[in-house]
Amino acid sequence: MFRSARIKLTLYYLFIIMVISLLFSGVVYRGVTFEIERGVRRQAVRMMPFDEFFPNDIHEEIITEAKQRVALELVIINFCIFIVSGTAGYFLAGKTLKPIAEMVDEQKQFVADASHELRTPLTAIKTENEVALRDKKLDLKFARELIKSNLEEINNLKSLTDYFLTLSKYQDANTKLQNEVFDLSRALQEVINRLKPMARVKNIEFSTKLDSVKVRANKISIIELITILVDNAIKYSHENGEVKVEITHKNNTAILKVEDFGVGIKAEDIGLIFNRFYRADSSRTKNQAVGYGLGLSIAKSIADLNCGKIVVNSTFGKGSTFTFFLPSHA
Ligand code: ADP
């Protein structure tokens, strides 16, 4: 598809250039041959007394020869323009289409990954229901369990589709966020309060050191970003662990740190964890944490949209620190 679009675009470029070039050549041919004819005829008039040495048809011959030479030169020039603009057009068409081709590939990959993620809970629901339907003596207790399990899978599907919507919102280049001035520490405190019950399940303690720093950004998205970082810190911590959160201010930048002492990330995975659907093997197997590998990809898009940056430091088996930098408000 990309190849045929590239060839088509090259032909369009070539068509436009050749139309202009041929029109221009026509004008040049007429102008030049007119001037040659006029010059030769004027010369012929001057040479009239010597007509016996310069017969009249010699002038016509000169004119015809000059016209042919001009025409030939113009044909050569147009041929060169055809070759050069064809090559340049093909190159430029490739450059023009490259970002579009990359976007299409990315979309295709996204659809494939999303379908793969959606298929797992759907298959589970289908299989469970088929097995139950085949059971002639399905009792109420089993039916209730089945409904409970189905609801769990449906909740998974719902959170997955919620992720898709968030992702499409923040990864849309046309998204314009409404900014407001707010205290980053308060936003972080809100997130901690909301996630405390989840931390309690694993008996994880929060330790906080929060300086009050004002930022001008989109509050809802920043809260979403902080939630992803703190949620991951809890998810990838061991039981009875600790999550340290800190907000400081340096060189007109608010610095938010979320540190955990959990599973950590292997050096080879660090560059990949912001990719959509990427989950390090260690987090799938050892930790069994639930996730789709979309959180950090959303967090990165939010950081970009708010002119911020996320940096990761991690030691496999020891823990991770995610630092979020955001311009502060004077
Ligand atoms: P999810 O957590 O849903 O899998 P994320 O995009 O939030 O997706 O994270 C991508 C991957 O990065 C995770 O699967 C995990 O391997 C790794 N990761 C993220 N945060 C941490 C953390 N605090 N500690 C260890 N690994 C982490």
Side-chain angles (χ1 to χ4, degrees):
M1 192 196 103
F2 173 65
R3 217 180 130 71
S4 74
R6 188 176 185 178
I7 290 171
K8 239 187 229 173
L9 194 59
T10 308
L11 291 177
Y12 287 143
Y13 286 155
L14 207 54
F15 175 74
I16 295 168
I17 293 170
M18 287 321 292
V19 165
I20 296 171
S21 173
L22 289 172
L23 283 175
F24 189 68
S25 301
V27 174
V28 168
Y29 181 78
R30 274 184 68 95
V32 170
T33 52
F34 177 76
E35 284 303 322
I36 291 172
E37 241 174 283
R38 207 167 61 151
V40 172
R41 293 204 195 290
R42 202 179 285 164
Q43 189 73 1
V45 173
R46 266 193 237 131
M47 292 291 178
M48 242 179 231
F50 313 101
D51 264 3
E52 50 184 301
F53 302 111
F54 297 102
N56 212 8
D57 36 337
I58 210 165
H59 301 298
E60 290 309 318
E61 240 176 67
I62 291 172
I63 291 170
T64 317
E65 208 178 287
K67 274 185 177 177
Q68 277 172 354
R69 215 173 314 124
V70 172
L72 183 69
E73 274 166 18
L74 285 173
V75 167
I76 292 171
I77 289 173
N78 274 289
F79 180 72
C80 291
I81 290 176
F82 180 82
I83 298 291
V84 171
S85 55
T87 316
Y90 189 71
F91 172 74
L92 287 178
K95 267 202 158 307
T96 311
L97 291 173
K98 196 169 167 236
I100 302 169
E102 280 171 0
M103 211 172 70
V104 171
D105 283 348
E106 211 177 295
Q107 296 257 327
K108 266 196 225 159
Q109 188 58 45
F110 178 74
V111 171
D113 291 338
S115 313
H116 180 76
E117 292 294 340
L118 286 168
R119 218 168 45 189
T120 314
L122 283 174
T123 311
I125 294 173
K126 184 172 177 279
T127 316
E128 278 180 351
N129 282 292
E130 278 171 355
V131 170
L133 210 60
R134 258 185 259 129
D135 184 353
K136 296 266 184 322
K137 291 177 245 143
L138 184 77
D139 63 11
L140 193 64
K141 187 169 164 260
F142 186 76
R144 273 183 177 283
E145 265 170 28
L146 177 76
I147 293 172
K148 213 173 126 201
S149 158
N150 280 351
L151 275 177
E152 255 170 43
E153 295 296 354
I154 289 166
N155 280 337
N156 284 346
L157 282 172
K158 190 182 170 301
S159 65
L160 189 57
T161 48
D162 286 346
Y163 264 133
F164 291 163
L165 287 176
T166 316
L167 201 62
S168 75
K169 182 169 78 180
Y170 292 126
Q171 292 194 340
D172 180 355
N174 297 320
T175 299
K176 286 268 172 295
L177 298 177
Q178 287 285 329
N179 288 346
E180 60 184 289
V181 177
F182 62 93
D183 189 333
L184 193 62
S185 297
R186 284 205 180 174
L188 177 57
Q189 195 59 59
E190 252 178 59
V191 172
I192 291 175
N193 292 343
R194 206 149 26 85
L195 293 180
K196 260 188 183 154
M198 185 181 150
R200 224 172 279 137
V201 174
K202 285 175 86 175
N203 201 21
I204 287 168
E205 286 288 325
F206 280 109
S207 74
T208 52
K209 178 180 170 295
L210 309 180
D211 290 351
S212 164
V213 184
K214 291 256 190 304
V215 292
R216 185 179 174 78
N218 178 262
K219 191 174 173 188
I220 296 175
S221 66
I222 296 293
I223 287 182
E224 225 155 330
L225 181 155
I226 303 173
T227 307
I228 290 166
L229 297 186
V230 179
D231 178 73
N232 276 351
I234 300 170
K235 254 185 356 189
Y236 299 107
S237 278
H238 304 298
E239 296 222 341
N240 309 317
E242 183 190 6
V243 171
K244 280 188 184 173
V245 282
E246 184 185 295
I247 290 185
T248 49
H249 184 216
K250 202 176 167 188
N251 300 335
N252 301 323
T253 306
I255 304 166
L256 184 154
K257 258 189 203 168
V258 181
E259 185 179 5
D260 68 67
F261 305 90
V263 294
I265 306 164
K266 283 185 186 156
E268 66 261 31
D269 287 327
I270 287 187
L272 302 168
I273 56 174
F274 289 95
N275 292 354
R276 281 185 315 210
F277 295 105
Y278 188 83
R279 302 200 73 214
D281 280 346
S282 47
S283 55
R284 287 174 203 264
T285 47
K286 281 191 195 160
N287 196 266
Q288 296 294 321
V290 206
Y292 301 102
L294 291 173
L296 287 180
S297 161
I298 293 173
K300 185 180 179 307
S301 305
I302 294 174
D304 292 346
L305 280 172
N306 286 285
C307 306
K309 196 169 95 175
I310 303 175
V311 172
V312 193
N313 271 303
S314 187
T315 310
F316 185 58
K318 292 216 164 132
S320 316
T321 305
F322 284 76
T323 312
F324 172 48
F325 298 90
L326 187 67
S328 60
H329 182 70

